[in-house]
Structures are given as structure tokens and as C-alpha cells.
């Protein structure tokens, strides 16, 4: 079953998430034609350590593989989990920046896709629709709603705009581990799936493709790309389900009463 958090625990998550989102803002400023992706990784690592936090992805193990960097990058047709390296960004690229950190044992995880200089109207629209689909899913983070309501919010908005959602990767519960129960798919049917209880924390992360939904993983074992070479965008925020409504954990607590989450 999914883990519910106390308000004191949520405050630690809030610190972790705030550091992640502030670092992503600094990275977005640093994104320019000619910049190498490993330079972005260096900036991310330095900022997280300066804030007194620990990188969450560095050394993270999945399927016997160890992730070797602080930041995940995803340029153009890359969907998620690209390893920063020598590649230089070019005018017209879009780049997904995905970052996590740990504060007092609690995780924050967030991502955004940003433009490198001037980009095509299609890329612009893809980024806008992906971020909107995340906001729509967050609006469903109220007690009593179900996981299918979140997935449906993402899928219906992406598909109404002619795009498709990735199935192979999902959002996730988050807390004292980066990935907790439940999985949070970016597709689904309203009223289906498990109910959201107060104090549940979710990292919601739509990955939306301009073409078909299929993805492939490259030789490095990490970088996911669209099978048809189409563009992909990714936005992620960590959110607590609160009695009054959703709390985006990188933002100040939005309600006047600080009710302990059951
Ligand atoms: N936000 C990503 C996720 O939840 C980051 C994981 S990268 C990893 O899947 F290296 F840590 F796996
Ligand atoms: Co995540």
C-alpha cells in the first residue's frame, strides 16, 4: 500500500523539492546553444551540494545498472534518462532536465523541458501541452479521487492535441525512497484505480510524444528515445494529496490550516 506522510515529513519533502525546482530554474538559464550537457550536470551537482542536499539519481540502481550522473537530460527525440556528456546543445533543440535530491532522508523529484534558443511551433506546442497535462493531473490530487482520474487527465489532454503518451514509464509515489508505491500511469479511465488518501505524495511525470507512443532504450541501458524519432517532452512535479486539495511540494503551503495528514 502507498505510504502516507505526516506534516513534519511533508515539510522535509518541501525542502527537497524546493531545492530541485530552484536548481532546474538555474539550469534553464544556463541552457544555450553550444553548452555541453555535462556542463549542466556539473551546475546541478554543485547547487544541490551547496544547498546541503544529496543528489538522488547519482549511483541509483535499476535492473543492475548504476546511474552515473546527478541530472538526467533528454534532447529532442530522447524521452527520459539520457546521461549528460559531450553533446553540445543546438539552436532549435528542446531539452528535458530531470533532477532529484535528498534532504534529511526525504526525496524531491522534478523535471521540465526547455527550449534552446528559437524552436519550432510544433516543439513549442508539445511543451505547452505536456506541462498543461501535468497541471490537469495535479488538479485531480484530492482525497477520494483515483489514479485513473490522473492518468485520464494527462492522456485526454495530450491526445486531444494530436500527441501520444508514453506507457513504458510512469510517475510514482515518493518519500523516503525515490520510487514508492503506487505507479502513476499517464493514461487511464476516470473512476478506476486506487483511491488517493490525504498525505500521499506522488511524483507525476507526463512524457508526451509528438508522434507515436512507442519508445526504445539505447545501448547505454538508460536513454529512452521515441521509436519513430519524433520529439518528446517531459514535465514532473512532486505533489502531496491534502484534505484541502493538492500541495505542489516545491511551492509554499497554499492553505491556511496546517492539518496533519491522517
Ligand atoms: N525522475 C526520474 C524517474 O523518476 C529519474 C530517475 S533517474 C535514475 O524515473 F537514474 F535515478 F533512475
Ligand atoms: Co520521477
Amino acid at each position: 500500500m502507498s505510504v502516507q506522510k505526516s506534516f513534519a515529513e511533508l515539510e522535509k519533502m518541501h525542502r527537497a523539492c524546493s531545492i530541485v525546482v530552484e536548481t532546474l530554474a538555474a539550469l534553464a538559464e544556463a541552457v544555450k546553444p553550444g553548452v555541453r550537457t555535462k556542463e549542466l550536470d556539473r551546475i546541478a551537482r554543485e547547487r544541490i551540494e551547496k544547498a546541503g542536499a544529496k543528489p538522488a539519481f547519482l549511483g541509483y540502481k535499476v535492473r543492475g545498472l548504476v546511474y552515473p550522473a546527478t541530472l538526467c537530460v533528454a534532447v529532442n527525440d530522447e524521452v527520459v534518462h539520457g546521461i549528460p556528456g559531450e553533446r553540445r546543445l543546438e539552436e532549435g533543440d528542446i531539452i528535458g532536465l530531470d533532477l532529484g535530491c535528498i534532504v534529511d532522508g526525504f526525496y524531491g523529484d522534478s523535471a521540465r523541458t526547455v527550449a534552446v534558443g528559437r524552436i519550432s511551433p510544433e516543439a513549442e506546442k508539445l511543451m505547452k501541452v505536456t506541462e498543461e497535462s501535468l497541471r490537469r493531473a495535479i488538479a485531480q490530487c484530492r482525497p477520494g479521487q483515483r489514479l485513473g482520474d490522473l492518468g485520464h487527465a494527462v492522456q485526454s489532454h495530450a491526445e486531444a492535441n494530436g500527441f501520444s503518451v508514453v506507457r513504458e514509464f510512469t510517475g510514482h509515489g515518493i518519500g523516503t525512497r525515490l520510487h514508492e508505491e503506487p505507479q502513476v500511469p499517464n493514461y487511464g479511465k476516470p473512476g478506476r484505480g486506487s483511491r488517493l488518501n490525504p498525505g500521499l505524495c506522488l511524483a507525476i511525470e507526463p512524457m508526451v510524444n509528438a508522434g507515436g507512443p512507442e519508445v526504445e532504450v539505447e545501448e547505454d541501458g538508460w536513454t529512452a528515445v521515441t521509436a519513430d524519432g519524433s520529439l518528446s517532452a517531459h514535465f514532473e512535479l512532486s505533489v502531496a494529496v491534502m484534505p484541502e486539495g493538492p500541495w505542489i511540494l516545491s511551492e509554499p503551503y497554499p492553505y491556511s490550516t496546517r492539518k496533519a495528514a491522517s
Side-chain angles (χ1 to χ4, degrees), residues 14-176:
H14 177 251
R15 273 159 59 208
C17 292
S18 300
I19 292 167
V20 167
V21 165
E22 283 160 21
T23 303
L24 288 175
L27 293 173
E29 288 289 313
V31 162
K32 294 199 171 57
V35 170
R36 291 190 197 275
T37 55
K38 72 173 186 191
E39 171 66 5
L40 300 173
D41 189 67
R42 187 186 61 77
I43 295 169
R45 186 170 184 169
E46 283 180 7
R47 278 193 79 107
I48 283 180
E49 285 171 356
K50 209 166 161 194
K54 265 179 42 185
F57 302 166
L58 188 66
Y60 192 82
K61 293 189 194 72
V62 182
R63 292 166 272 108
L65 292 171
V66 181
Y67 192 71
T70 296
L71 181 70
C72 294
V73 293
V75 181
N76 297 335
D77 64 326
E78 293 172 356
V79 178
V80 284
H81 302 166
I83 301 167
E86 303 301 324
R87 181 174 186 165
R88 288 185 192 276
L89 299 176
E90 293 175 18
E91 178 94 19
D93 286 345
I94 60 172
I95 178 171
L97 306 165
D98 186 352
L99 186 65
C101 83
I102 314 169
V103 171
D104 286 347
F106 284 84
Y107 284 73
D109 185 11
S110 185
R112 59 190 280 195
T113 302
V114 301
V116 184
R118 275 182 64 89
I119 60 170
S120 69
E122 194 205 24
E124 199 83 66
K125 182 182 169 195
L126 178 67
M127 292 202 305
K128 178 169 165 282
V129 167
T130 307
E131 187 166 14
E132 286 167 354
S133 70
L134 170 59
R135 298 283 165 181
R136 285 171 182 239
I138 291 171
Q140 295 297 318
C141 288
R142 299 189 306 273
Q145 295 299 97
R146 293 174 183 268
L147 280 173
D149 297 316
L150 271 74
H152 179 74
V154 172
Q155 182 182 14
S156 58
H157 189 58
E159 291 180 355
N161 282 281
F163 301 138
S164 63
V165 297
V166 171
R167 264 78 166 168
E168 280 85 349
F169 302 98
T170 67
H172 47 94
I174 183 166
T176 54

Side-chain angles (χ1 to χ4, degrees), residues 168-214:
E168 280 85 349
F169 302 98
T170 67
H172 47 94
I174 183 166
T176 54
R177 287 178 298 131
L178 177 60
H179 296 132
E180 294 185 349
E181 291 292 302
Q183 289 195 1
V184 183
N186 293 302
Y187 56 91
K189 295 203 169 74
R192 303 281 183 85
S194 53
R195 272 187 204 283
L196 309 181
N197 294 321
L200 174 67
C201 292
L202 300 175
I204 305 172
E205 48 181 317
M207 289 144 268
V208 177
N209 297 347
E214 299 82 11

